[in-house]
Amino acid sequence: MQNNNGKRESNARGGNQRGGSMPTGPRGGGMPGGPRGANPGAAQPKVSIAKSLKRLSVYTKKSTGLIILTAIAVLIGTLVTVLTPKVLGNTTTIIFAGVKRAAGIDFTQLRLTLAILLGLYLATFLTSFLQQRFMTVITQDITRRLRRDLKAKLNRLPINYFDQHQNGELMSIATNDVDNIVSGLQRSLTSIISSVITVIGVFVMMLTISPLLTLVVCLTIPVMLLVARLVTPKAQKYNAEYFGSLGQLNTQVEESLQGFTVIKSFNGTEEALNKFEHANKSMVTSGWKAVFISGLTMPMMTLVQNVVYVLLAAIGSLSVVSGSMTLGNMQAILQYSGQFSSPLMQLAQIWGTLLSMLTSIDRIFAVLDADEMDETLGDYPNQLASDAKVSFNHVQFGYDDKLLMPDFNMEVEPGQMTAIVGETGAGKTTVINLLERFYDIKGGALLVDGQDIRNMSRHELRTKMAMVLQETWLFSGTIFDNIKYGNENATDEEVYAAAKAAYADDFIQKLPDGYQTVLNENADNISQGQRQLLTIARAFIADPEILILDEATSNVDSRTELIVQQAMARLLKHRTSFVIAHRLSTIYDADRILVMDHGNIVESGTHQELLAENGAYQQLYQSQFATA
């Protein structure tokens, strides 16, 4: 989602709202279907390797030129590496032949051969340097674009997606999985290209020396294929479990840090440590299994390589003694056997990295493929002749198949203050969620200024609104920037004026750095009441047509509450407003009070009118003030 001013983004939950804190889910109407905490990626259907790599290749298109240069560098470097043993073998042959001849060693030919050998080594160094340089640029660019797309995707996902997935898991995907892909590409891409070219080049060179010994060396190929066939399924399984456990671990750490004071207050340290230990143990178990299974390939390949080397040495020695092969060629074939086996072993080792990378690719694309909010403008009937600012006409809504609101009706006049009260789960916050289009209605019509909100973009709709919620949300940054968040086009004078209107200027001026005071991650370096005043100032600067207050004074002391209420009274003046209240003392002056129960309005009127009815409102009032 993008915020109302279309600039700075907030975190994923409720990032569109202006002037207030973040919503924490449909508290008033129960959570939508699906358990919160599902792992996007841990239980995904198995995706083929080719399909996963094809999807990732989309992010390499802008780096096509560098990839071509990298491939050329790899090709040249590999060919040089393949030629080196042959030239080195020629050096041995020249020296050996010179020792046997009476004329001695041909130093002219030897110097030429050594000069060629030195040139080959220098070329190997240069191509290796270029490969690493190009791959660093390529992988970092992929990282940037993957994270950019993930962030943009999270802002386009509906609220219910975040109700069903843990924040720690999503953070793990955006950080750990992206890093895993990049490190995997960095290690494996050039190695795979180099290994394939090396195997082909070495095979050709060995054929020119001895077809029989070449056949012996090729015994390693079926072994590698068999090992890969056995290892791949289990490695993929444990890699998926590992990254799922990593997301769970991130969630545990995030929750412990956010609730540190509560954990200490309720002596919950041991329980928190036990939860962390469980997640940590699960991650370690799946992690070592993935590494162990993937690592089985190396010792098996090493065993086969040693056996092949012994066979080559025995057969080659007999060939040299019989005169059918020169000593230099035998030396070359032994070196080539190492060069032939080494890429195969490297491929086997890379295979585990590749499987881990593929798991991360699948988890990332599980998020990127998730259904987004429908931004298509509707063609629903409007009622532009209506004088009501907000109208709920026979609205139907439910978070699952069961309707929470079977037939909800309400009209709010311009400038009217409407308070909504009721027991927990009555549907109070659901009304606000529907008004802000955090969720879409399933029937009926919801109109603002006579226009069905489904005919408006969410951006257009939310520019008309601001929210001040019970859970204050302030981002890490200066107080000035937090206030200006409500309107990025506001001038400095307007920011200061908004702070004064919200009664926040006084405490801000007393801070060491004033408006440039930097708030930490949870804004814990100022009090709860001060945080609330800043959110009110943010709403002031947004200058909304519709204001939503959700228990905005419930977390502050009585003295601070008076200041906050004075600030809100200024903010509410001449604005259409919705106030969700648990403390009835805050809504005595409301133009209209709605009492909700199970998604329906059961009573409606002013404070005095509802008390006179001796109904549900009167019972709520008595429950709060009977003992006063």
Coordinates of all heavy atoms in Angstrom, one line a residue, residues 29 33 54 67 82 87 155 205 207 230 247 249 289 293 297-298 351 353 379 392 401 410 416 432 535 589 618 620 625:
G29 N -14.1 -7.0 15.2 CA -14.9 -8.0 14.6 C -14.3 -9.4 14.5 O -14.7 -10.2 13.7
G33 N -10.2 -15.0 8.2 CA -9.9 -16.5 8.1 C -8.5 -16.7 7.9 O -7.8 -16.0 7.3
K54 N 14.2 -19.8 -14.1 CA 13.6 -19.0 -15.1 C 13.0 -17.7 -14.6 O 13.1 -16.6 -15.1 CB 12.6 -19.8 -15.9 CG 11.9 -19.0 -17.1 CD 10.9 -19.9 -17.8 CE 10.3 -19.1 -19.0 NZ 9.3 -19.9 -19.7
I67 N 26.6 -9.8 -17.8 CA 26.6 -11.3 -17.8 C 27.3 -11.9 -19.0 O 28.1 -12.9 -18.9 CB 25.1 -11.8 -17.8 CG1 24.5 -11.5 -16.5 CG2 25.1 -13.3 -18.0 CD1 23.0 -11.8 -16.4
V82 N 42.6 -24.9 -19.2 CA 42.6 -26.2 -19.8 C 43.9 -26.4 -20.6 O 44.5 -27.5 -20.7 CB 41.4 -26.4 -20.8 CG1 41.5 -27.6 -21.7 CG2 40.1 -26.5 -20.0
V87 N 50.7 -27.4 -21.9 CA 51.9 -26.6 -22.1 C 53.0 -27.0 -21.1 O 54.2 -27.2 -21.4 CB 51.7 -25.1 -22.0 CG1 53.0 -24.3 -22.1 CG2 50.7 -24.7 -23.1
N155 N 3.4 -3.4 0.1 CA 2.5 -2.2 0.1 C 1.2 -2.4 -0.7 O 0.3 -1.6 -0.6 CB 3.2 -1.0 -0.3 CG 4.2 -0.5 0.8 OD1 4.0 -0.8 1.9 ND2 5.2 0.3 0.4
M205 N 40.8 -32.4 -24.7 CA 42.3 -32.5 -24.6 C 42.7 -33.9 -24.2 O 43.7 -34.4 -24.8 CB 42.8 -31.5 -23.6 CG 42.6 -30.0 -23.9 SD 43.4 -29.6 -25.5 CE 45.1 -29.7 -25.0
L207 N 41.1 -36.7 -24.9 CA 40.9 -37.5 -26.1 C 42.1 -37.5 -27.1 O 42.4 -38.5 -27.7 CB 39.6 -37.2 -26.8 CG 38.3 -37.7 -26.2 CD1 37.1 -37.2 -27.0 CD2 38.3 -39.2 -26.2
L230 N 20.0 -38.8 -5.5 CA 19.7 -39.2 -4.1 C 19.6 -38.1 -3.1 O 18.8 -38.1 -2.2 CB 20.8 -40.2 -3.6 CG 20.8 -41.6 -4.3 CD1 22.0 -42.4 -3.8 CD2 19.5 -42.4 -4.2
G247 N 12.5 -17.9 10.0 CA 11.4 -16.9 10.1 C 10.8 -17.0 11.5 O 10.5 -15.9 12.1
L249 N 12.2 -18.0 14.2 CA 13.2 -17.4 15.1 C 13.1 -15.9 15.1 O 13.2 -15.2 16.2 CB 14.6 -17.9 14.8 CG 15.6 -17.7 15.8 CD1 15.4 -18.5 17.1 CD2 17.0 -18.0 15.2
K289 N 21.0 -30.9 9.1 CA 20.5 -32.0 8.1 C 20.7 -31.6 6.7 O 21.2 -32.3 5.8 CB 19.1 -32.3 8.4 CG 18.9 -33.2 9.7 CD 17.4 -33.5 9.9 CE 17.2 -34.3 11.1 NZ 15.8 -34.7 11.3
I293 N 23.4 -33.5 4.4 CA 22.9 -34.2 3.2 C 23.6 -33.7 2.0 O 24.1 -34.5 1.1 CB 21.4 -34.1 3.1 CG1 20.7 -34.9 4.2 CG2 21.0 -34.7 1.7 CD1 20.9 -36.3 4.2
T297 N 28.1 -35.4 -0.9 CA 28.6 -35.5 -2.2 C 30.1 -35.4 -2.3 O 30.8 -36.1 -3.1 CB 28.0 -34.4 -3.1 OG1 28.3 -33.2 -2.6 CG2 26.5 -34.6 -3.3
M298 N 30.7 -34.5 -1.5 CA 32.2 -34.3 -1.6 C 33.0 -35.6 -1.2 O 33.9 -36.0 -2.0 CB 32.6 -33.2 -0.7 CG 32.2 -31.8 -1.3 SD 33.1 -31.5 -2.8 CE 34.8 -31.4 -2.2
W351 N 25.9 -27.8 -5.7 CA 24.5 -28.3 -5.7 C 23.8 -28.0 -4.4 O 22.6 -27.6 -4.5 CB 24.5 -29.8 -6.0 CG 23.2 -30.3 -6.4 CD1 22.5 -31.2 -5.7 CD2 22.4 -30.0 -7.5 NE1 21.3 -31.5 -6.3 CE2 21.2 -30.8 -7.5 CE3 22.6 -29.2 -8.6 CZ2 20.3 -30.7 -8.4 CZ3 21.7 -29.1 -9.6 CH2 20.5 -29.9 -9.5
T353 N 24.4 -25.5 -2.4 CA 24.1 -24.1 -2.4 C 23.0 -23.7 -3.3 O 22.1 -22.9 -3.0 CB 25.4 -23.3 -2.8 OG1 26.4 -23.6 -1.9 CG2 25.1 -21.8 -2.8
D379 N -18.1 0.3 -10.8 CA -19.1 1.0 -11.5 C -20.4 0.8 -10.7 O -21.4 0.3 -11.3 CB -19.2 0.5 -13.0 CG -20.2 1.4 -13.8 OD1 -20.4 2.5 -13.4 OD2 -20.7 0.9 -14.8
F392 N -23.9 4.1 5.2 CA -23.8 2.6 5.1 C -25.2 2.2 4.8 O -26.1 2.3 5.6 CB -23.4 2.0 6.5 CG -21.9 2.2 6.8 CD1 -21.4 3.4 7.2 CD2 -21.1 1.1 6.7 CE1 -20.1 3.5 7.6 CE2 -19.7 1.2 7.0 CZ -19.2 2.4 7.4
D401 N -16.8 -16.9 5.7 CA -18.1 -17.2 5.1 C -19.3 -16.7 6.0 O -20.4 -16.5 5.5 CB -18.3 -18.7 4.9 CG -17.3 -19.2 3.8 OD1 -16.8 -18.3 3.0 OD2 -16.9 -20.4 3.8
M410 N -26.3 3.1 8.4 CA -26.0 4.2 9.2 C -25.7 5.4 8.2 O -25.2 5.3 7.1 CB -24.7 4.0 10.0 CG -24.2 5.2 10.8 SD -22.7 4.8 11.7 CE -21.5 4.5 10.4
Q416 N -20.8 16.1 11.7 CA -21.4 15.4 12.9 C -20.3 14.5 13.5 O -19.5 13.9 12.9 CB -22.5 14.5 12.4 CG -23.4 13.9 13.5 CD -24.6 13.2 13.0 OE1 -24.4 12.3 12.1 NE2 -25.7 13.5 13.5
I432 N -14.8 1.0 11.0 CA -13.7 1.8 10.5 C -12.9 1.1 9.4 O -12.5 1.7 8.5 CB -12.8 2.2 11.7 CG1 -13.6 2.8 12.8 CG2 -11.6 3.1 11.3 CD1 -14.4 4.0 12.4
T535 N 0.6 12.3 17.3 CA -0.3 11.8 16.3 C -1.5 12.7 16.0 O -2.0 12.8 14.9 CB -0.8 10.4 16.7 OG1 -1.6 10.5 17.9 CG2 0.3 9.4 16.9
D589 N -20.5 14.6 24.7 CA -20.9 15.7 23.8 C -21.1 15.2 22.3 O -21.3 16.1 21.4 CB -19.8 16.8 23.8 CG -19.7 17.4 25.2 OD1 -20.7 17.4 25.9 OD2 -18.6 17.8 25.5
Q618 N -27.4 2.4 28.7 CA -27.6 2.6 30.1 C -26.9 1.6 31.0 O -26.2 1.9 32.0 CB -29.1 2.7 30.5 CG -29.4 3.4 31.8 CD -29.4 2.5 33.0 OE1 -29.3 1.2 32.8 NE2 -29.4 3.0 34.2
L620 N -24.2 -0.1 30.0 CA -22.7 0.2 29.8 C -22.3 1.3 30.7 O -21.3 1.3 31.4 CB -22.4 0.5 28.4 CG -22.4 -0.6 27.3 CD1 -22.2 0.0 25.9 CD2 -21.3 -1.6 27.6
F625 N -19.8 3.5 35.9 CA -20.0 4.6 36.9 C -20.8 4.3 38.1 O -21.0 5.1 39.0 CB -20.6 5.9 36.2 CG -19.7 6.4 35.1 CD1 -20.1 6.1 33.7 CD2 -18.6 7.1 35.3 CE1 -19.3 6.6 32.7 CE2 -17.8 7.6 34.3 CZ -18.1 7.3 33.0

